[in-house]
Amino acid sequence: MPRASDILILLTYITIAAVAAIGFEFFGLMPTLNAWMMGAIVFIVAGMAHSAATRSHERRALEDEIHELKAANLALAEEFEAAQSRIDEIADELRAESVERDNALVQEVKVLEDLVRRVGPAGAEDFNGSAAVPQASTAHTDIDTVREALAANRVDLYLQPVVTLPQRRTAFYESYTRLRDATGRVLAPSAFMAAAEEAGLMAEVDNLLLFRCVQIVRRLTGQDRKVAIFCNVSLNSLSDETFFPEFLDFIRQNKDLSGSLIFEISQQAFEERDAIAARNMARMADFGFRFSIDQIAHVELDLTEMERAGVRFAKIGGARLLDAIDNYESIAGYEAGAIATEDLAGLFGRHGIELIVDKIEDESTVVEVLEMDVAYGQGHLFGEPRPVRDDVLETTPESGSNVIQMTA
């Protein structure tokens, strides 16, 4: 269907041709027939001129569209080149991550091999190169058993849940090292810890515990699940200038787990730490790792110093905390009774420290702890330390929380 503009243009050209013919005839320039023939010629010429102008306009429009298409194609090519460049960068990053993971695995294997070399058989040189000092018969047997268990890598990781209150959902785990003798019997923690300290092997025990914690966290991270684990470290390890650089190097290579590993030391160790241990804690904090203080015997805590040292958690036994409140002890520099019971957790929180009440054994303690507005609890009431089943790590579908399957 012709457009209105086309009809208008046609009528205009007819009008011009008719006026021209009438003009030629009126002024006597030519006979009537010739005048109208001239009008027809004028009509044809005008149509041809209009057609030429239209084609010229369409050509320019087509050229403009082609130019725009070329520009769009060029922009698309540039975007494709940028995308290809980003793909190459991602591929390089993946290759670098793969190499880093391989290096981390090699480092972990090296740690185990080095530990086996250091521990060695009983009666051999100890880890710093000096001959082992003979011990009394009973203690020497314990030391031999510890050395042999470490050398044979009979080291198990036990985990105990730390739960939210009052929901009792697992928020963290605390890790413990357990050694087994040649018969598979689990050594009493107090016995092997004392023997390890006497033999100067606590650094090795700490390193193996860290190694196990990293393994568990890595497996959970690979499944897009996040969990934080309290990993105990001794004052000896923090002060050992021979051992600590390797310990720190292992941490540096796994610094991406800084949100998942929380290093825990006792209150006594924290307060007795020397300048070397304090400096080494600061170096660990520089990589983003946090600290926890446990085994709190007295509540006259220096929260400002704890905060400055990177301490973000404090664990107090339920009975000890209730005893301090009942006996109106001075807490964290505040006189007896100056801190309301319900503001106790808030006092720690104002220093960036989460208060965890551990050693909770019964429901009555839970009731009293809840009155203090404490967010986390730990103890046999919520779960005993159990060995990790290394082959099964899964999320409990009922709660959706991170739960590590452990043996009974």
Side-chain angles (χ1 to χ4, degrees):
M1 182 176 181
R3 295 177 299 179
S5 58
D6 295 335
I7 296 174
L8 183 60
I9 292 173
L10 178 62
L11 292 175
T12 300
Y13 290 158
I14 292 174
T15 301
I16 292 173
V19 169
I22 293 173
F24 287 136
E25 180 183 0
F26 180 78
F27 291 106
L29 297 177
M30 58 183 61
T32 300
L33 181 59
N34 291 342
W36 283 100
M37 289 180 64
M38 184 58 69
I41 292 172
V42 169
F43 175 78
I44 293 171
V45 171
M48 293 175 64
H50 174 74
S51 178
T54 300
R55 285 195 300 273
S56 176
H57 175 73
E58 291 176 348
R59 188 187 304 103
R60 285 194 300 271
L62 183 60
E63 289 175 351
D64 291 341
E65 289 180 3
I66 292 173
H67 178 73
E68 291 177 358
L69 286 174
K70 288 182 178 179
N73 185 57
L74 180 61
L76 185 60
E78 291 176 351
E79 291 179 3
F80 178 79
E81 183 178 354
Q84 185 63 46
S85 176
R86 180 54 185 156
I87 290 173
D88 292 340
E89 291 178 4
I90 293 174
D92 291 339
E93 291 174 0
L94 290 175
R95 282 192 291 270
E97 289 178 1
S98 178
V99 171
E100 185 176 350
R101 284 195 299 269
D102 291 342
N103 290 339
L105 180 59
V106 170
Q107 177 65 17
E108 291 175 358
V109 173
K110 180 182 177 183
V111 167
L112 287 177
E113 292 176 345
D114 189 51
L115 288 174
V116 172
R117 176 185 59 78
R118 287 179 174 183
V119 174
E125 292 188 343
D126 66 12
F127 69 95
N128 56 19
S130 59
V133 179
Q135 307 292 330
S137 59
T138 303
H140 186 68
T141 300
D142 290 341
I143 292 173
D144 287 348
T145 303
V146 170
R147 284 183 181 276
E148 199 273 334
L150 289 173
N153 196 23
R154 289 196 299 272
V155 182
D156 295 326
L157 177 68
Y158 279 59
L159 297 180
Q160 182 178 33
V162 179
V163 303
T164 60
L165 296 176
Q167 300 87 356
R168 305 192 185 192
R169 294 177 180 172
T170 301
F172 310 97
Y173 287 97
E174 178 165 1
S175 61
Y176 303 92
T177 303
R178 295 292 184 267
L179 302 184
R180 286 174 285 110
D181 63 16
T183 66
R185 180 177 59 91
V186 177
L187 304 180
S190 57
F192 86 74
M193 285 293 185
E197 288 180 357
E198 186 177 352
L201 296 174
M202 280 308 300
E204 276 67 21
V205 173
D206 285 344
N207 210 347
L208 278 171
L209 177 60
L210 172 62
F211 177 74
R212 292 284 185 261
C213 289
V214 168
Q215 282 183 315
I216 295 299
V217 172
R218 283 268 179 232
R219 291 187 63 177
L220 290 176
T221 303
Q223 299 171 19
D224 293 328
R225 293 157 55 198
K226 296 181 179 179
V227 63
I229 296 180
F230 290 93
C231 185
N232 287 274
V233 61
S234 67
L235 182 60
N236 291 337
S237 296
L238 293 173
S239 301
D240 190 332
E241 292 189 276
T242 301
F243 164 78
F244 187 80
E246 296 180 15
F247 187 83
L248 184 67
D249 187 56
F250 187 77
I251 290 174
R252 179 187 59 78
Q253 294 191 34
N254 293 278
K255 64 181 179 180
D256 58 309
L257 301 180
S258 60
S260 302
L261 288 176
I262 305 164
F263 290 98
E264 190 162 85
I265 64 174
S266 68
Q267 181 186 43
Q268 180 179 353
F270 180 76
E271 294 178 347
E272 293 179 355
R273 64 195 177 125
D274 56 17
I276 295 174
R279 183 189 67 224
N280 288 339
M281 285 182 65
R283 294 168 71 183
M284 294 167 69
D286 288 340
F287 289 125
F289 289 94
R290 300 166 292 173
F291 292 92
S292 171
I293 302 297
D294 72 343
Q295 302 179 35
I296 293 178
H298 68 81
V299 293
E300 189 54 63
L301 302 164
D302 188 342
L303 297 181
T304 301
E305 174 60 23
M306 290 168 62
E307 179 183 11
R308 186 183 300 116
V311 175
R312 297 296 176 261
F313 300 89
K315 293 183 178 181
I316 304 179
R320 180 66 189 91
L321 182 59
L322 295 176
D323 184 63
I325 294 174
D326 293 341
N327 292 312
Y328 297 98
E329 296 183 30
S330 173
I331 299 177
Y334 288 83
E335 295 181 359
I339 300 296
T341 301
E342 61 273 14
D343 191 41
L344 189 60
L347 170 63
F348 285 80
R350 287 190 287 276
H351 290 272
I353 301 172
E354 287 284 359
L355 178 60
I356 299 174
V357 177
D358 62 359
K359 298 180 175 63
I360 296 178
E361 311 296 335
D362 51 59
E363 293 292 346
S364 60
T365 303
V366 176
V367 173
E368 295 185 82
V369 168
L370 288 176
E371 293 178 355
M372 305 176 198
D373 199 26
V374 174
Y376 301 102
Q378 180 181 353
H380 286 192
L381 180 66
F382 309 120
E384 299 180 4
R386 295 186 182 276
V388 175
R389 286 181 52 186
D390 203 29
D391 57 332
V392 181
L393 296 175
E394 63 185 16
T395 299
T396 299
E398 293 80 8
S399 64
S401 61
N402 292 317
V403 176
I404 299 177
Q405 290 291 345
M406 293 173 280
T407 60

